[in-house]
Amino acid sequence: MSDQAHTASGPAARPGNRPALPTLETFSAFKSRPFTYLWINTLSFALVQAMQRFAFVWLVIEAVEVGGLGRGSEWSGAVFFALGIPVLFVTIPAGVLADRINRRSLVLVSQLVAVAVTVAAGVIIVAGAMTTVLALVLAAGVGATIAVGLPVRNAIVPTVVERDTLLKAIVMMSMAMNISQIVGAGLGGLLIAGWGIGGAFIAQGVVLFVGTLALIPLRVPDVRTADQHRQPLHELQEGMRFVWDHQGIRTLIVLLAIAGIFLIGPFGTLLPQIAKEELGRNALESSLLFTIMGVGTVVSSLAIASVPQLRNKGGWVIGTLISAGIVVPLLGISPWYALTAAVMFCGGVAAGIFMNLNQTLVQANTPPEIMGRVVSIHTLAFQGVGPFGGMLAGLMAAWMGAPLWMVISGAILFVVTTSAFVTQPALRRMS
């Protein structure tokens, strides 16, 4: 691979898990030009995703208030569901395709479709023709592009960097998502405040198009070794069999699914509503909470990328998920904006560790020729289950109130993940 990154020799690794300050070696994945192009594209993709996640929820909340269609939590849960449900149907076929055709082409097509849907949403809003049902349809269209693009981008990463740089590359990809979380949520709220929701969606389409230009020079190595005449169903079964037979990866994916129901669902659906109704905050102030969380994620991501040799990654993954069982209830019951912001920062620190190490463990233990299928199953467990958690959160919040469901979700998450920590010693030691 002529364009692959080759890790430069550096200082002798420190023993154990002791972190170092970030150095040039922390960013060594950028020695690969293909990875750099992919990172730039991912940055634009993630920036718009962060804005859209907030903008779509805010759009239906305002529509409900104007139209008197019922409680906002029900509709915010519905739009969160619409954004995520395509993952359930699209991600696995995309993973199979990623192991059969050029992965760059899949990413390119998915992003061009995302540009078209996003601009269309903005034009419809500006024209005054937007309805809550149409918003759900457009959210599902955006979700479909995410369902294709996200796992395929992740499957590309191990093919354009060396194995000893994989953790750093995954952290840098996560950093693109985190930077976008910092800038995107706040920028989304600012655009809504200044240009209205329609203008915000049109701006998102422009950013997506600019990011698409980075895919033009990207060249991805062909790692396909399977017979292309095999049936796609057989290839899917091969990927699922690998995941099932690998105890560590299987457990990680089960934990991801649990997090999708009791962490991502309630968090993504109810936090904007809690900020608006319980804390009395506007769109910009509510979106800044996600920005603060992104700062925490960047801090922890840089920290783990600067650890010369991190052992027991599986234990860190479970431990940070246990901490989420504390963070979620605190977000539900916090009576002050400043306290909510502090808890969001702590949650961001835990999220950076959890997501980076979880993804590293899966990719480092998966053969390249089935990476697309395994990564798609991994994505399905996290983002495919999340919409059901979001829908459940919206319905439960309409019945018992958003704060109480946040507390219940956190308690369930804490109990389940603590049990996994106690009963899965092999996973705790997994590296």
Side-chain angles (χ1 to χ4, degrees):
M1 236 184 307
S2 60
D3 283 330
Q4 274 190 336
H6 296 278
T7 306
S9 58
R14 301 182 185 184
N17 297 336
R18 184 179 175 186
L21 292 174
T23 65
L24 288 177
E25 187 64 21
T26 303
F27 305 94
S28 60
F30 289 109
K31 294 176 183 177
S32 165
R33 283 185 295 171
F35 176 79
T36 302
Y37 294 139
L38 180 65
W39 188 87
I40 293 171
N41 173 261
T42 301
L43 181 65
S44 72
F45 168 81
L47 179 64
V48 172
Q49 187 181 2
M51 288 191 284
Q52 287 177 337
R53 186 182 300 115
F54 181 84
F56 268 114
V57 172
W58 201 264
L59 172 64
V60 297
I61 288 175
E62 288 194 344
V64 166
E65 289 180 347
V66 172
L69 298 177
R71 297 192 57 164
S73 58
E74 296 171 339
W75 284 98
S76 60
V79 77
F80 190 83
F81 182 84
L83 279 168
I85 194 57
V87 172
L88 190 63
F89 302 102
V90 177
T91 297
I92 295 297
V96 174
L97 283 174
D99 290 334
R100 294 174 64 89
I101 66 176
N102 186 272
R103 292 170 181 171
R104 168 185 171 273
S105 299
L106 278 178
V107 175
L108 180 60
V109 170
S110 70
Q111 187 138 339
L112 288 175
V113 173
V115 171
V117 174
T118 302
V119 172
V123 171
I124 292 171
I125 294 170
V126 171
M130 182 62 71
T131 66
T132 51
V133 173
L134 186 53
L136 295 179
V137 172
L138 290 168
V142 168
T145 66
I146 296 172
V148 173
L150 184 59
V152 178
R153 284 180 179 86
N154 290 338
I156 290 173
V157 174
T159 69
V160 294
V161 297
E162 300 289 358
R163 181 181 173 87
D164 58 0
T165 317
L166 180 58
L167 174 58
K168 292 180 174 62
I170 290 174
V171 168
M172 291 303 109
M173 291 291 282
S174 176
M175 285 282 290
M177 305 292 287
N178 301 336
I179 292 170
S180 300
Q181 187 71 48
I182 293 172
V183 178
L187 180 59
L190 186 62
L191 289 175
I192 292 173
W195 294 354
I197 297 181
F201 274 100
I202 292 174
Q204 291 163 20
V206 173
V207 173
L208 274 175
F209 180 76
V210 172
T212 304
L213 300 178
L215 294 174
I216 296 176
L218 175 64
R219 295 295 178 266
V220 178
D222 189 349
V223 298
R224 294 170 292 173
T225 59
D227 181 0
Q228 295 303 297
H229 296 290
R230 293 175 60 191
Q231 293 296 320
L233 182 59
H234 293 163
E235 295 191 359
L236 173 58
Q237 290 172 343
E238 181 182 24
M240 296 180 69
R241 189 181 307 113
F242 173 82
V243 170
W244 181 257
D245 291 341
H246 195 296
Q247 182 180 357
I249 293 179
R250 183 178 71 238
T251 306
L252 287 170
I253 288 178
V254 169
L255 289 175
L256 277 174
I258 293 171
I261 296 174
F262 298 110
L263 173 59
I264 300 303
F267 178 83
T269 301
L270 300 181
L271 189 61
Q273 180 187 346
I274 288 174
K276 182 179 179 67
E277 297 179 0
E278 305 295 331
L279 302 178
R281 300 293 167 164
N282 59 30
L284 178 59
E285 293 168 323
S286 300
S287 65
L288 286 177
L289 292 173
F290 293 94
T291 299
I292 293 169
M293 178 182 176
V295 173
T297 309
V298 167
V299 169
S300 61
S301 296
L302 284 174
I304 63 173
S306 303
V307 176
Q309 185 179 1
L310 183 63
R311 297 191 298 269
N312 302 321
K313 294 184 180 71
W316 284 95
V317 168
I318 304 177
T320 51
L321 195 54
I322 290 173
S323 72
I326 301 173
V327 167
V328 172
L330 287 177
L331 291 174
I333 64 176
S334 170
W336 305 301
Y337 183 82
L339 176 59
T340 300
V343 174
M344 288 287 284
F345 177 82
C346 295
V349 170
I353 298 171
F354 173 75
M355 291 307 302
N356 286 311
L357 296 185
N358 189 296
Q359 188 173 335
T360 298
L361 288 173
V362 171
Q363 293 190 9
N365 290 278
T366 300
E369 61 271 15
I370 62 171
M371 186 69 68
R373 282 161 282 175
V374 173
V375 170
S376 68
I377 294 171
H378 180 270
T379 303
L380 176 64
F382 192 52
Q383 298 204 356
V385 175
F388 293 97
M391 181 64 73
L392 177 64
L395 294 174
M396 297 302 289
W399 176 43
M400 64 177 62
L404 180 55
W405 182 244
M406 295 282 278
V407 172
I408 293 173
S409 295
I412 294 172
L413 186 64
F414 182 84
V415 171
V416 172
T417 52
T418 301
S419 299
F421 187 87
V422 173
T423 61
Q424 300 290 324
L427 179 58
R428 295 200 306 268
R429 295 189 297 268
M430 188 176 177
S431 292

